[in-house]
Amino acid sequence: MIYIPEVFMSIGFLIILIISVFVKKNQNIVLGYLSLLLIFLTQFFVLKDIFLFEEIFNNFFVIDSFGSFLKSVILICAGFVIYFYIIVKNDSSLNRSEFSMIILISIIGMMLMVSSNDLLSLFVSIELQSLALYILVSFSKEDFNSSEAGVKYFVIGSLSTCIFLFGSSLIYGLVGSTNFSEISQFMSDQYSVPLLLVVGLIFILVSLSLKISAAPFHMWTPDVYQGSPSLVTAFLSTAPKVAVFGVLIRVLVYPFGEIIVDWGKILVILSIFSMLIGSLGALRQDDLKRLMAYSTINHIGFILMGLVPGSEDGITAICIYLIFYITMNLGVFLFILNMKRDQLNVTKIKDLSGLYKTEPLIAGCLALLFFSMAGIPPLAGFISKLLILNIVIDNNLFFLAIIAVITSVISAFYYIRLVKSMFFDSPTEELDLLTNSQSKLLLSIFGLFNLSVIFYPQFFLNLCASITLSLFALR
Amino acid sequence: MEPFNFLILSSLLFSVGFLGIFINRKNLITILMSIELMLLSANINFIGFSDLLGDLSGQIFSLFILVVAAAEAAIGLAILTIFFKKSNSISVDSINRLKG
């Protein structure tokens, strides 16, 4: 048994499905706890073999520490989201037992994604996660916006699948195999790279950028983020992004590492567009979830920038950025989940005003998270941005670094506007937060984490450096 | 260029599907059909290349695509049904609530 985490997860999922029939009372809560337990146990199996390297199932999947690390991050995200689901009960339309189970299916898909070593297994696992995500986005039957977001997400997701398939068919026709090792072999044998291969790679890149919402392909992001239930948005903005970044790094670095000249330029364009649109688009938003969507696009641009040199340091910085980005995003969404007025969920920015007067602790933590997203010095977001900028400048991409800094300043403006509205505006109408002690505690933990990372950045650096080593080890 | 004729066919099908998604302003079902068309164009490519290379794995890939396309169509239709219940219309222009 070498492929333990995914096999365990799938079997556990089926068992939970059977158990769900016999649970009569509080079905969704009980199943939520069971899923949380399953995620914990799977996390144990992932961490147990984190330094193992093996190619399995006839080279369809590869187990290495890079994949295992991303799996563990994905499991942590999903664990937090399911925990939010259990503690914050503000959306009655999500009170169905399937919710946590569909999250489990999508995690299985993501875990397979980050370890797949063949275009076929990659395609099937991407489909597994996105089919589950389509359902999650349109989960709320009562809310019209949710189903509209579902239609949009479905159309864009399927389009991305089709583009991926067309690209991989071109690559298959040229190489004669869909396996990453054989594609890599083919590349190193070739004297000059055939054009068709680059076209195929561009197709795959476009499809993956549709999934991570990098900028020219970002149109769906604000609508889907706003329309889907807040809990689903929290999930959508963390775990799938990590998984797709894992795939992007694996595909670009390993089989297509030889043509870095070609994909490097594309990534530069993608990241410049993402940073510009992410920072400029958010300026005139009045909805907090839409603003978070643009902030995600901005962060994605930053992360893509670290991949441009395709070096080991860059990928280390990306891993660190992903960890910090997740903590910030989960914290902010935990707050958004708790926003409520007159029994209705509200997500407008003006609802934040005067939060400091009623809930000083929550306002303080939230301000920490927003400052961290903006990259204000002692916080976690600053460290990750610093690392990425360091990589970019080391590789003499000065124009990219300049654009990154300028967009970072622009984006600091709207984060600080949020903080100003929390601390200095007089409250228009009382916002009744669902103040349960667990979410207060979690929010302060997220805030404290972002504050305290400056004292032990070496831990994350060493961890991520030892993780990325496995990507570049000789195969 | 005889053996590569299927590439022309598949590219045409792919373009038709792609344009079908973006030009069509009437019907959401048309979008589902366009997606199906694009998936099938990838299938034609895989099978054609598989024949050309004398390698079976392309045909296996196309079988997988068929299976996934069926699952995707099922979920897409389910989402469309929910949408239709809410808005009483399946025209593309009725998807206009979310914007900013």
Side-chain angles (χ1 to χ4, degrees), chain B residues 15-55:
Chain B
S15 319
V16 168
F18 195 80
L19 292 178
I21 289 181
F22 287 104
I23 291 180
N24 140 57
R25 310 285 335 157
K26 279 191 183 139
N27 203 323
L28 278 171
I29 302 285
T30 320
I31 289 185
L32 276 184
M33 284 156 62
S34 311
I35 287 166
E36 221 53 31
L37 217 54
M38 289 165 80
L39 286 171
L40 289 182
S41 76
N43 255 351
I44 289 172
N45 255 358
F46 270 115
I47 296 170
F49 279 129
S50 160
D51 186 41
L52 211 65
L53 297 163
D55 179 52

Side-chain angles (χ1 to χ4, degrees), chain B residues 63-98:
Chain B
L63 283 177
F64 271 87
I65 296 175
L66 284 179
V67 172
V68 169
E72 204 163 271
I75 286 179
L77 282 173
I79 292 174
L80 274 193
T81 321
I82 298 175
F83 181 74
F84 176 67
K85 269 187 195 162
K86 298 277 170 45
S87 66
N88 285 321
S89 131
I90 49 166
S91 87
V92 178
D93 293 324
S94 61
I95 316 183
N96 54 6
R97 287 234 193 152
L98 298 167

Side-chain angles (χ1 to χ4, degrees), chain A residues 94-356:
Chain A
L94 296 184
N95 284 347
R96 280 184 283 157
S97 55
E98 300 92 20
F99 186 81
S100 43
M101 291 205 269
I102 296 173
I103 284 191
L104 286 185
I105 302 179
S106 70
I107 308 169
I108 297 172
M110 287 172 208
M111 287 165 73
L112 292 170
M113 255 165 89
V114 293
S115 57
S116 49
N117 198 28
D118 190 295
L119 286 172
L120 176 53
S121 55
L122 181 59
F123 159 67
V124 174
S125 41
I126 285 182
E127 275 309 284
L128 185 57
Q129 69 111 23
S130 30
L131 291 184
L133 287 178
Y134 303 150
I135 301 173
L136 279 180
V137 168
S138 51
F139 201 81
S140 173
K141 273 186 189 161
E142 287 79 31
D143 191 3
F144 182 84
N145 288 344
S146 172
S147 50
E148 185 180 323
V151 171
K152 279 184 180 165
Y153 192 47
F154 171 76
V155 171
I156 294 292
S158 316
L159 182 66
S160 141
T161 304
C162 300
I163 294 173
F164 179 85
L165 281 176
F166 203 79
S168 40
S169 74
L170 292 182
I171 289 173
Y172 168 73
L174 212 62
V175 179
S177 164
T178 49
N179 198 287
F180 286 176
S181 342
E182 288 186 36
I183 295 172
S184 166
Q185 190 68 39
F186 177 84
M187 296 283 233
S188 48
D189 290 347
Q190 221 68 12
Y191 196 66
S192 67
V193 178
L195 186 67
L196 203 57
L197 201 66
V198 180
V199 174
L201 177 64
I202 290 174
F203 269 85
I204 289 183
L205 257 179
V206 167
S207 128
L208 291 180
S209 357
L210 272 169
K211 293 245 185 270
I212 53 171
S213 67
F217 313 104
H218 69 286
M219 336 58 105
W220 60 275
T221 323
D223 291 350
V224 171
Y225 275 36
Q226 190 192 358
S228 49
S230 301
L231 196 59
V232 177
T233 316
F235 187 61
L236 211 60
S237 66
T238 49
K241 299 280 186 272
V242 176
V244 180
F245 259 106
V247 169
L248 201 59
I249 290 170
R250 203 187 279 287
V251 169
L252 289 184
V253 169
Y254 179 42
F256 295 104
E258 306 262 334
I259 49 171
I260 185 165
V261 195
D262 294 304
W263 57 257
K265 285 175 207 152
I266 303 172
L267 284 190
V268 167
I269 296 168
L270 283 179
S271 69
I272 288 177
F273 269 107
S274 306
M275 288 186 293
L276 283 176
I277 290 178
S279 54
L280 295 176
L283 290 178
R284 55 189 187 85
Q285 300 304 327
D286 59 347
D287 189 288
L288 202 49
K289 272 154 86 181
R290 269 190 107 79
L291 189 132
M292 288 305 290
Y294 280 105
S295 130
T296 302
I297 297 170
N298 188 13
H299 284 293
I300 292 294
F302 248 93
I303 302 175
L304 276 176
M305 208 163 62
L307 193 53
V308 172
S311 64
E312 213 174 309
D313 310 338
I315 292 163
T316 310
I318 290 176
C319 290
I320 295 175
Y321 203 116
L322 283 174
I323 299 175
F324 294 161
Y325 164 74
I326 283 162
T327 59
M328 297 184 274
N329 240 24
L330 284 177
V332 173
F333 274 105
L334 178 58
F335 173 76
I336 294 177
L337 277 175
N338 277 307
M339 281 166 78
K340 206 156 195 177
R341 174 182 296 142
D342 303 333
Q343 311 301 323
L344 280 173
N345 296 330
V346 287
T347 53
K348 289 277 178 269
I349 289 175
K350 66 175 188 303
D351 294 319
L352 281 174
S353 56
L355 184 71
Y356 176 68

